[in-house]
Amino acid sequence: MSFKNLVDLLQKSVTRFADRPIYGERSPSGAWTYRTYRDFGTEVAHFRGGLASLGVGPGDRVAVISNNRPAWAVGAYATYSLGACYVPMYEKQNPADWEYILNDSGAKVLLAANAEIAEVVRGLAGRVKTLELVIDLSAARTDPHSFKALMETGQANPVDAEDPDPDTLCGFIYTSGTTGKPKGVLLSHGNIISNVNAVISIFDMAATDRSLSFLPWAHSFGQTCELHCGLAIGASSAICDDVTKLVGYLSEVKPTLLFSVPRIFNRIYDGLNKKMAEASPVKQKLFQGAMANANKRRQLKAQGKTNILVECAHKVFDKLVFSKVRERLGGRLRYAFSGG
């Protein structure tokens, strides 16, 4: 299945995968709770109505300062379905960058992760002439400027979704600004959807797949490959609320897909090597033998060859060594995507 735009993607996936899980969050007790695609579609519809009640429409900009969370995705797809543009930023970004990006993009509304960020940005309001409202994603429903209150407003005032042309802009993604001010990359529905259609045509990912989401959706890699492609195939994502707990969460979530940057894979690799350095001489010898045999097997495969002794050794090493490594990653990993 291919898609015309991000709104088309949302509508088809919510219909096809209505009862499937989509985004999971971890409770203080350690349990993971997932909302369904149907729930997500309803939330997007309600928030779309809420944003429309603020006057957000085609061509407007809705900015967000937040780490990955279901409300981030709700805000994105509600914005897309109004024909507006989503402008993501990072919680740990410098407030001076927030001010610059809000001004440069001409943001009308901002979604803030918490009260602290909301307060900082409200303090910038006098210097950001286009900004009309800051919405606190974490505030209680009794706060009229909260995400929950706006959802209620939208539920009472529904608005139909737009059907944007592929050339219509859907978002700006800003560079880090290491060589000057951050530069906004203007992305259209067609830009992103062409990548989504390509990825899902190449990889055999399916609705049964699950990722552990920690790669920022504010970046084009995480947003395109995990957020949008995941939605397109009906997959689910467990939201990692603390990257320092990533390894522990892997065994709980048991992901089949992992989207990361080299630094995280290096951390896992270094952790494995550190553990082996502390192991007994026998275990070290076994690990070294397993790696040497795996390298030989990979070389043969690249040449289109195989060797019965190498394959037999691999089966033994896989049971004694590699199965333990896979278990540390949750035991179900099928694809590891890396970029950076």
Side-chain angles (χ1 to χ4, degrees):
M1 177 177 290
S2 60
F3 307 98
K4 174 185 175 184
N5 54 47
L6 290 167
V7 181
D8 180 45
L9 187 160
L10 172 72
Q11 293 172 338
K12 286 178 177 175
S13 292
V14 166
T15 299
R16 289 180 66 202
F17 309 112
D19 296 320
R20 298 285 310 172
I22 181 167
Y23 299 122
E25 295 177 283
R26 193 177 191 271
S27 70
S29 67
W32 290 87
T33 303
Y34 291 80
R35 56 185 20 89
T36 66
Y37 272 75
R38 180 184 289 107
D39 296 334
F40 180 67
T42 298
E43 289 176 303
V44 171
H46 291 172
F47 198 60
R48 176 172 65 242
L51 287 177
S53 74
L54 301 176
V56 175
D60 285 329
R61 285 77 160 109
V62 175
V64 59
I65 302 173
S66 172
N67 294 336
N68 296 1
R69 63 181 68 197
W72 197 106
V74 169
Y77 276 90
T79 299
Y80 303 147
S81 61
L82 286 172
C85 298
Y86 209 50
V87 184
M89 290 172 275
Y90 302 91
E91 289 187 28
K92 292 188 179 298
Q93 211 162 0
N94 190 312
D97 285 340
W98 294 343
E99 180 181 348
Y100 175 80
I101 291 170
L102 288 168
N103 269 314
D104 189 64
S105 65
K108 187 172 187 175
V109 175
L110 171 80
L111 312 183
N114 52 50
E116 291 76 18
I117 293 174
E119 184 178 359
V120 170
V121 177
R122 285 171 183 147
L124 301 175
R127 303 199 294 272
V128 183
K129 302 301 182 183
T130 58
L131 189 62
E132 297 179 4
L133 183 66
V134 176
I135 298 168
D136 185 348
L137 297 177
S138 66
R141 184 177 283 102
T142 51
D143 182 343
H145 294 160
S146 69
F147 178 77
K148 293 176 181 177
L150 201 59
M151 290 278 279
E152 287 190 344
T153 299
Q155 183 176 3
N157 300 276
V159 173
D160 290 337
E162 296 282 336
D163 181 24
D165 185 87
D167 291 335
T168 300
L169 293 179
C170 67
F172 300 173
I173 292 183
Y174 279 78
T175 64
S176 61
T178 52
T179 59
K181 293 294 186 182
K183 298 173 180 63
V185 179
L186 281 61
L187 297 170
S188 69
H189 283 265
N191 289 148
I192 293 179
I193 281 297
S194 63
N195 280 295
V196 172
N197 288 335
V199 169
I200 63 177
S201 71
I202 294 171
F203 295 99
D204 63 335
M205 298 185 293
T208 51
D209 280 311
R210 175 165 293 169
S211 68
L212 178 56
S213 177
F214 59 91
L215 194 66
W217 293 339
H219 190 278
S220 57
F221 180 26
Q223 186 182 138
T224 301
C225 293
E226 184 171 50
L227 178 69
H228 301 311
C229 287
L231 188 67
I233 61 174
S236 57
S237 295
I239 309 297
C240 178
D241 56 4
D242 184 348
V243 73
T244 64
K245 299 178 181 178
L246 175 63
V247 175
Y249 285 175
L250 286 169
S251 61
E252 295 178 3
V253 173
K254 301 184 185 304
T256 60
L257 310 174
L258 194 61
F259 301 89
S260 182
V261 290
R263 178 170 56 87
I264 298 298
F265 288 118
N266 285 340
R267 184 184 299 174
I268 295 172
Y269 178 79
D270 291 342
L272 176 62
N273 280 312
K274 181 180 179 181
K275 185 175 181 179
M276 291 312 304
E278 297 168 351
S280 67
V282 173
K283 287 186 177 180
Q284 289 184 21
K285 194 74 172 177
L286 188 63
F287 179 73
Q288 292 164 3
M291 292 300 294
N293 190 75
N295 287 332
K296 179 64 175 177
R297 186 170 180 258
R298 184 164 55 249
Q299 292 169 4
L300 289 169
K301 186 176 180 180
Q303 298 168 10
K305 299 177 181 179
T306 186
N307 181 288
I308 189 168
L309 293 178
V310 171
E311 291 301 317
C312 288
H314 174 71
K315 290 181 180 179
V316 175
F317 286 131
D318 187 68
K319 184 176 181 179
L320 297 177
V321 179
F322 298 132
S323 63
K324 307 295 190 302
V325 176
R326 288 198 298 273
E327 199 60 35
R328 290 275 290 172
L329 298 174
R332 300 198 310 143
L333 194 62
R334 300 199 307 121
Y335 286 116
F337 300 85
S338 181

